[in-house]
Amino acid sequence: TTVRNFRFGCSHAVRGKFSDQTAGTMSLGGGAQSLLAQTARSLGNAFSRRSYCVPPASASGFLSIGGPVTTNSTTVFATTPLVRSAINPSLYLVRLQGIVVAGRRLRIPPVVFSAGAVMDSSAVITQLPPTAYRALRRAFRNAMRAYPRSGATGTLDTCYDFLGVANVRVPAVSLVFGGGAVVVLDPPAVVLGGCLAFTATSSDLALGFIGNVQQQTHEVLYDVAAGGVGFRRGAC
């Protein structure tokens, strides 16, 4: 299939984005310039339903166009509504509604999450509203009292010295989204390089970001036509 008059972007001076093994970036967002919009006439809604799985280290992930990788009718995705941004239509937003640490839901006012969060496979770390981040950090530090703290690493301010520790017990952390979708994070999605793998946005009014570290091992299904985002744990 030939897509005529396709518009590409060209990078002239980009630092740290590409390497010898990277040919460029493929944007699967929305908007008039998106791959979805530019191929709609020739390919229909082929790109409106796709999924991917960001793998952990030394594993393989996948990108599936046209639908989820699994076709098993018994497979269940935890689904949350997909929200389109009126300001930036290229963004796909979800409504984070709560955080659970070690089986207990944190007491965070719902209004804190009202700005929404961008599902972003290119962002590394999840960025939470400051009020939500402080609640998570407090609960995480309380659960990790047995381990000695170390200095901050970049924007990650809750780090530990695990030198000589054979078995680190990381508290279970889950993200609760609108529609009742609960995403249970694996330990490597909670602790990265010895640090709590979350940070804070500039204010509670700013958009949050769900980064690829927290998406690891989950098949993330975008169904643009149906208006939903699904999560399936243990996919890669």
Side-chain angles (χ1 to χ4, degrees):
T1 301
T2 300
V3 180
R4 301 188 182 281
N5 300 317
F6 191 90
R7 298 182 186 90
F8 291 93
C10 181
S11 297
H12 297 279
V14 181
R15 181 177 299 172
K17 187 72 173 178
F18 301 124
S19 68
D20 292 341
Q21 298 179 346
T22 306
T25 60
M26 181 172 66
S27 177
L28 294 172
Q33 302 296 328
S34 68
L35 189 63
L36 172 63
Q38 292 196 63
T39 60
R41 178 173 295 182
S42 55
L43 298 178
N45 289 324
F47 283 95
S48 69
R49 201 162 190 256
R50 67 248 184 201
S51 68
Y52 59 75
C53 188
V54 178
S58 70
S60 296
F62 57 79
L63 169 66
S64 173
I65 302 297
V69 165
T70 177
T71 56
N72 190 333
S73 61
T74 63
T75 300
V76 177
F77 283 83
T79 304
T80 187
L82 173 66
V83 181
R84 302 302 294 269
S85 171
I87 300 175
N88 189 342
S90 69
L91 301 179
Y92 296 124
L93 307 183
V94 290
R95 298 294 187 194
L96 185 61
Q97 293 188 337
I99 303 172
V100 178
V101 177
R104 299 185 64 178
R105 184 156 176 167
L106 305 182
R107 299 182 65 178
I108 304 171
V111 68
V112 169
F113 299 112
S114 59
V118 180
M119 288 297 302
D120 193 347
S121 60
S122 65
V124 178
I125 300 298
T126 288
Q127 300 177 40
L128 298 171
T131 299
Y133 175 69
R134 286 193 294 268
L136 170 62
R137 181 178 62 185
R138 187 182 312 114
F140 182 81
R141 287 178 176 178
N142 185 58
M144 298 288 284
R145 292 192 308 270
Y147 304 103
R149 292 275 303 278
S150 64
T153 300
T155 59
L156 304 181
D157 62 7
T158 299
C159 303
Y160 295 86
D161 182 3
F162 296 129
L163 185 64
V165 180
N167 185 25
V168 178
R169 301 186 65 177
V170 177
V173 176
S174 299
L175 304 179
V176 182
F177 293 94
V182 178
V183 175
V184 180
L185 304 181
D186 294 332
V190 179
V191 174
L192 178 67
C195 302
L196 176 63
F198 291 81
T199 188
T201 59
S202 58
S203 77
D204 286 348
L205 300 177
L207 280 174
F209 292 85
I210 307 299
N212 64 51
V213 168
Q214 283 66 45
Q215 297 179 44
Q216 282 184 9
T217 75
H218 288 80
E219 181 176 7
V220 182
L221 170 66
Y222 295 82
D223 194 335
V224 178
V229 178
F231 303 92
R232 179 173 71 91
R233 192 183 185 194
C236 65

